[in-house]
Amino acid sequence: MTVVSLTRELLTGLLEELALVIGAMIDANASVVTSAPAMGRQWVAEVRADGALEGALTLVLDYDGVVAITRQMTGIDGEIPTESLIDTLREVLSQAVGALALKPVARGAKLAVGDVVEKEDLAPEGEWSAHAVAADNLPTPLSVTVWGSVSSPESVAAASASAGVAAHVDSRIDVLLDIDLPLVVRFGQTELPLRQLTRLGPGSVIDLGRSPDDPVDVLVSNRVVARGEVVVVAGSYGIRILDVVSQRERVRSMEA
């Protein structure tokens, strides 16, 4: 998994857990919706990842949204002390991050919520995403803007290995391009007991366990390099390619 896809999956998981935690705290069904970035008076917190994952996500939450959640939780009608708002936000984030750490995407990483501080008009940095947690009994949705980057040692190592393989392939690809290789189209496969094999004859039907609409496999050196659908071209069978494996995997097929 790339750094970008891992970060996005963590972000999605964190927003989902935030909605679940907030919904449980205010006794309502909360959901994640699209939103503009949280501007004006804000709360800023950082979620740090250590161990199996490394990096941090910065969360910017609008001030009024936190106030609305705190009112629903505490029943306070007047001015809410800053300490109570911070306590609410830390509790919500801690529970959401704790639940996120149990998901497969976190891979056993240690996730922790840093200090919660008040800011104003803090603009997003780099690649960011803006959403909001909404509920029927919240007059103001909680706007959440997130940016940052999280990676795993495995993804960094894989990226380095991929770069090395690509350089190695480029150095000899010209030699391989003129080699003729057998291409096989596989409509399906199955296993039969020897007793059934001995009974095969003209008219026998073998169930391949697949639908006629399923794509067929295109193999080189007994490795799948593409999938496609059967077509008729000038009275002959042909294959229209629907999906192709990566270039590196195709090169490996040629090397096999």
Side-chain angles (χ1 to χ4, degrees), residues 80-97:
I80 301 176
T82 300
E83 293 77 8
S84 297
L85 296 175
I86 293 177
D87 289 343
T88 296
L89 191 50
R90 286 197 61 85
E91 181 64 22
V92 169
L93 292 177
S94 296
Q95 289 195 30
V97 167

Side-chain angles (χ1 to χ4, degrees), residues 31-111:
S31 60
V32 179
V33 298
T34 57
S35 172
M39 300 301 290
R41 203 172 178 184
Q42 308 160 328
W43 292 105
V44 180
E46 187 178 68
V47 176
R48 296 187 298 271
D50 295 304
L53 299 178
E54 298 176 352
L57 296 176
T58 298
L59 288 82
V60 177
L61 307 96
D62 72 287
Y63 188 93
D64 291 339
V66 177
V67 171
I69 292 172
T70 305
R71 289 194 192 283
Q72 286 293 330
M73 291 174 54
T74 62
I76 298 176
D77 292 329
E79 184 177 352
I80 301 176
T82 300
E83 293 77 8
S84 297
L85 296 175
I86 293 177
D87 289 343
T88 296
L89 191 50
R90 286 197 61 85
E91 181 64 22
V92 169
L93 292 177
S94 296
Q95 289 195 30
V97 167
L100 178 63
L102 300 177
K103 288 192 170 185
V105 65
R107 301 177 183 179
K110 296 179 180 179
L111 304 178

Side-chain angles (χ1 to χ4, degrees), residues 233-251:
V233 182
S236 300
Y237 281 121
I239 300 295
R240 179 183 290 115
I241 300 300
L242 301 176
D243 181 44
V244 182
V245 301
S246 67
Q247 184 180 31
R248 185 173 63 171
E249 291 298 326
R250 278 176 278 163
V251 171

Side-chain angles (χ1 to χ4, degrees), residues 21-209:
V21 171
I22 291 172
M25 286 184 168
I26 64 175
D27 192 23
N29 291 323
S31 60
V32 179
V33 298
T34 57
S35 172
M39 300 301 290
R41 203 172 178 184
Q42 308 160 328
W43 292 105
V44 180
E46 187 178 68
V47 176
R48 296 187 298 271
D50 295 304
L53 299 178
E54 298 176 352
L57 296 176
T58 298
L59 288 82
V60 177
L61 307 96
D62 72 287
Y63 188 93
D64 291 339
V66 177
V67 171
I69 292 172
T70 305
R71 289 194 192 283
Q72 286 293 330
M73 291 174 54
T74 62
I76 298 176
D77 292 329
E79 184 177 352
I80 301 176
T82 300
E83 293 77 8
S84 297
L85 296 175
I86 293 177
D87 289 343
T88 296
L89 191 50
R90 286 197 61 85
E91 181 64 22
V92 169
L93 292 177
S94 296
Q95 289 195 30
V97 167
L100 178 63
L102 300 177
K103 288 192 170 185
V105 65
R107 301 177 183 179
K110 296 179 180 179
L111 304 178
V113 181
D115 293 335
V116 177
V117 296
E118 185 178 348
K119 296 282 187 178
E120 189 164 349
D121 291 331
L122 180 63
E125 299 178 4
E127 184 174 346
W128 53 272
S129 179
H131 299 271
V133 177
D136 292 339
N137 57 356
L138 282 181
T140 303
L142 176 64
S143 177
V144 184
T145 306
V146 186
W147 65 83
S149 178
V150 178
S151 62
S152 66
E154 292 82 359
S155 64
V156 174
S160 299
S162 298
V165 170
H168 180 61
V169 169
D170 289 342
S171 66
R172 54 178 182 164
I173 191 66
D174 290 338
V175 178
L176 298 175
L177 290 179
D178 292 328
I179 298 177
D180 292 329
L181 295 171
L183 184 145
V184 176
V185 176
R186 182 172 64 193
F187 286 82
Q189 62 183 21
T190 188
E191 294 183 359
L192 297 176
L194 181 59
R195 179 179 293 103
Q196 189 172 347
L197 283 173
T198 59
R199 295 174 181 173
L200 291 179
S204 298
V205 176
I206 300 175
D207 184 3
L208 297 179

